[in-house]
Amino acid sequence: MKKIVKRVLGDPQAKTLKRLRKRVKDVNALADTYKKMSDKELKSQTEKLKQRLQKETLDKILPDAFAVVREAATRTLGQRHFDVQLIGGMVLHEGNVSEMKTGEGKTLVATLPVYLNALTGKGVHVVTVNEYLAQRDAGWMAQVYDFLGLTTGVIIADESFVYDAKFENKEHDDVRMRHLKPATRQEAYRADITYGTNNEFGFDYLRDNMVRETDQLRQRDLHFAIVDEVDSILIDEARTPLIISAPSVTSGSSYAQFAKVVRQLKQDKDYEKDEKHKQVVLTDDGIEHVEKILGIKNLYATTNIRTIYHLDQALRAQALFKRDKDYVVTNDGEVVIVDEFTGRLLKGRRYNEGLHQAIEAKEGVEVQEESMTLATISFQNYFRLYDKLAGMTGTANTESEEFHQIYKLDVVEIPPNKPVVRDDRADRIYKTEMGKF
């Protein structure tokens, strides 16, 4: 069906690339002009472009801004953007997803739309999947922004930095991070460009919604964000809730009792489970069995609301959450969640609504205080708050429909600078783990 539509209407990807290649010519035509400038003259272009923005649009000054960044990157990093990277930058500026194969330089590509949009003074966020990438990319690419007179901040868990060429942390192993100077959250967000992890941007948004004074706010208005590994953050983890909680007054003594109750229940006879949706439901036999164990006549009587609550979480903990897969138990007797997407341990994070306590009771470790949700938002809802959103990844085309339906983002495949010599083979799927090995 898609092939027929392409024949009748033409390939929209090809049309987009053809349009953007014309703009690349405009950028290339300016290359010699900026190449002849001294460092001081090139740096002064930032103020000139800001002045032009008072009468012109971002699209109008794009060729000049891209040409300036390209020359600045050549002088500071020794890396000059290829024409296809200029196309990738244009796709991001237009608020779409740029699909570029691994190794095509997405980190460098982002400098183009980041610089252009930062000229508005409203702030640009570059979102990465982990703290190392946030610091590395910021410290690395900030050389370009600093050369052109723009400031760069970094947001990670419990820490924040600003790039300062005069500051040097010689003890840091990675030279790209040595000029990141510790700063307050507000200072990092007030920078023209702020790099950070998806988690921290989301949590800071929640924290800002809980403060009472405006001078306590961390973030500015959410203007423009470029999301790296956009398929992972906006599709795979889209519904993942970010939760800020506080201790509740509920006693944790009931969890151990219900952990013993559910151990006596049998799958398929007393309850049925749905692995995909993480749900478990008692059967009629199961309800009778529980009523018999607890010595009550009607499990669903209004007086037993807390009983149902504890039972439901204990049953989920027993039937759906597996040790060393969904969580691990440390030597200190702490239940730590395992990130289902990365396999990393999420220390300090806890399941909400009593589930974490139910798992602690199941494992026979100390049951911590139950928490009460104070603020929550999903990644999907958070990133839709931005005035403009863009993303980049090596694998987005397979989720192009979801990107368009949920975020109104179009996926544009950027051709590689040179033909790919890597042999990308089809996935192999094995029936059993033994067969795989």
Side-chain angles (χ1 to χ4, degrees):
M1 184 66 188
K2 284 185 178 180
K3 290 182 179 178
I4 296 172
V5 172
K6 280 185 181 180
R7 282 178 193 167
V8 176
L9 301 176
D11 185 354
Q13 291 270 340
K15 286 182 178 178
T16 300
L17 291 175
K18 185 179 180 181
R19 173 175 62 82
L20 296 179
R21 281 195 177 100
K22 289 180 180 176
R23 302 220 74 187
V24 168
K25 289 180 180 178
D26 296 336
V27 177
N28 288 337
L30 295 164
D32 285 342
T33 303
Y34 293 113
K35 190 175 181 179
K36 292 173 183 175
M37 288 184 179
S38 65
D39 287 356
K40 187 177 180 180
E41 288 174 323
L42 187 62
K43 187 171 184 174
S44 69
Q45 297 308 304
T46 297
E47 280 306 315
K48 290 181 179 178
L49 288 169
K50 284 182 178 180
Q51 289 171 11
R52 283 179 61 186
L53 266 183
Q54 294 175 11
K55 295 180 180 179
E56 301 176 58
T57 63
L58 286 173
D59 287 336
K60 187 75 174 175
I61 68 167
L62 182 147
D64 285 281
F66 274 36
V68 165
V69 174
R70 184 193 239 180
E71 183 58 32
T74 305
R75 297 185 190 187
T76 56
L77 305 175
Q79 298 179 4
R80 185 179 187 274
H81 298 78
F82 296 121
D83 286 359
V84 289
Q85 290 178 313
L86 296 179
I87 293 174
M90 292 171 191
V91 169
L92 294 173
H93 164 65
E94 292 180 356
N96 289 310
V97 175
S98 177
E99 179 178 293
M100 303 183 74
K101 293 189 181 296
T102 302
E104 288 296 303
K106 291 186 285 291
T107 307
L108 184 64
V109 167
T111 58
L112 298 159
V114 163
Y115 173 77
L116 173 62
N117 285 268
L119 293 172
T120 62
K122 296 178 181 178
V124 175
H125 293 170
V126 183
V127 187
T128 64
V129 289
N130 62 53
E131 294 181 356
Y132 167 74
L133 287 176
Q135 295 173 86
R136 185 204 71 177
D137 292 358
W140 192 8
M141 297 300 128
Q143 296 174 72
V144 179
Y145 308 132
D146 185 63
F147 180 89
L148 293 172
L150 296 182
T151 55
T152 307
V154 186
I155 298 290
I156 59 172
D158 304 321
E159 289 184 287
S160 43
F161 308 91
V162 291
Y163 179 87
D164 185 346
K166 295 177 183 177
F167 172 84
E168 188 171 7
N169 178 5
K170 292 182 180 179
E171 294 179 5
H172 209 298
D173 295 335
D174 195 327
V175 294
R176 291 169 294 192
M177 301 185 198
R178 287 182 180 172
H179 297 294
L180 297 180
K181 184 172 74 174
T184 65
R185 224 55 169 179
Q186 284 93 340
E187 285 172 336
Y189 277 117
R190 277 200 297 267
D192 296 302
I193 300 129
T194 306
Y195 283 75
T197 63
N198 50 332
N199 285 329
E200 290 311 306
F201 280 123
F203 277 123
D204 281 339
Y205 171 78
L206 293 179
R207 293 179 188 117
D208 279 354
N209 276 275
M210 294 169 64
V211 301
R212 297 186 179 185
E213 303 293 335
T214 54
D215 60 359
Q216 296 175 332
L217 291 171
R218 299 159 182 80
Q219 295 182 341
R220 296 190 276 170
D221 291 340
L222 304 178
H223 172 53
F224 177 43
I226 295 177
V227 183
D228 194 12
E229 303 299 343
V230 67
D231 50 338
S232 173
I233 294 173
L234 295 191
I235 302 296
D236 297 343
E237 298 185 52
R239 306 307 288 272
T240 302
L242 295 169
I243 299 166
I244 291 180
S245 56
S248 170
V249 293
T250 309
S251 170
S253 60
S254 301
Y255 288 102
Q257 176 195 353
F258 282 92
K260 291 177 183 176
V261 170
V262 297
R263 285 193 196 105
Q264 301 174 53
L265 305 180
K266 294 179 180 177
Q267 186 178 334
D268 297 329
K269 183 178 184 298
D270 294 317
Y271 64 86
E272 295 174 348
K273 67 176 181 177
D274 182 343
E275 292 273 10
K276 184 178 179 182
H277 296 100
K278 289 278 186 187
Q279 293 178 342
V280 59
V281 181
L282 284 172
T283 62
D284 291 340
D285 288 343
I287 293 169
E288 287 182 20
H289 195 171
V290 170
E291 289 173 342
K292 190 175 179 181
I293 295 170
L294 296 176
I296 56 178
K297 287 186 178 181
N298 182 5
L299 177 63
Y300 292 98
T302 52
T303 53
N304 294 326
I305 289 174
R306 292 302 299 175
T307 299
I308 297 166
Y309 167 78
H310 286 298
L311 177 67
D312 182 50
Q313 298 299 13
L315 195 53
R316 289 182 69 207
Q318 181 69 28
L320 298 172
F321 290 81
K322 305 291 185 236
R323 182 170 177 166
D324 296 332
K325 178 179 178 288
D326 299 297
Y327 63 90
V328 297
V329 180
T330 67
N331 294 333
D332 300 330
E334 183 185 0
V335 172
V336 181
I337 300 171
V338 175
D339 189 319
E340 64 176 305
F341 302 105
T342 64
R344 294 189 183 92
L345 297 182
L346 301 176
K347 290 207 169 186
R349 300 281 179 82
R350 293 176 66 82
Y351 294 115
N352 63 332
E353 297 178 347
L355 177 58
H356 211 97
Q357 286 76 10
I359 294 173
E360 288 169 335
K362 166 191 169 182
E363 294 297 340
V365 300
E366 183 185 351
V367 178
Q368 304 293 322
E369 279 186 310
E370 190 172 344
S371 58
M372 174 177 62
T373 299
L374 299 178
T376 180
I377 194 170
S378 67
F379 285 127
Q380 182 182 110
N381 289 336
Y382 170 69
F383 283 108
R384 286 166 70 179
L385 294 171
Y386 280 86
D387 296 333
K388 184 164 72 171
L389 184 64
M392 50 190 183
T393 181
T395 51
N397 210 33
T398 50
E399 286 98 6
S400 58
E401 287 186 23
E402 290 97 320
F403 278 122
H404 186 73
Q405 289 174 3
I406 301 168
Y407 305 100
K408 299 292 185 284
L409 295 173
D410 291 325
V411 176
V412 180
E413 292 182 70
I414 311 300
N417 184 51
K418 291 183 179 180
V420 177
V421 295
R422 183 178 59 244
D423 182 13
D424 291 326
R425 297 177 182 177
D427 292 341
R428 286 184 176 181
I429 300 172
Y430 298 89
K431 284 185 178 179
T432 63
E433 188 175 9
M434 183 66 76
K436 174 183 174 181
F437 291 117

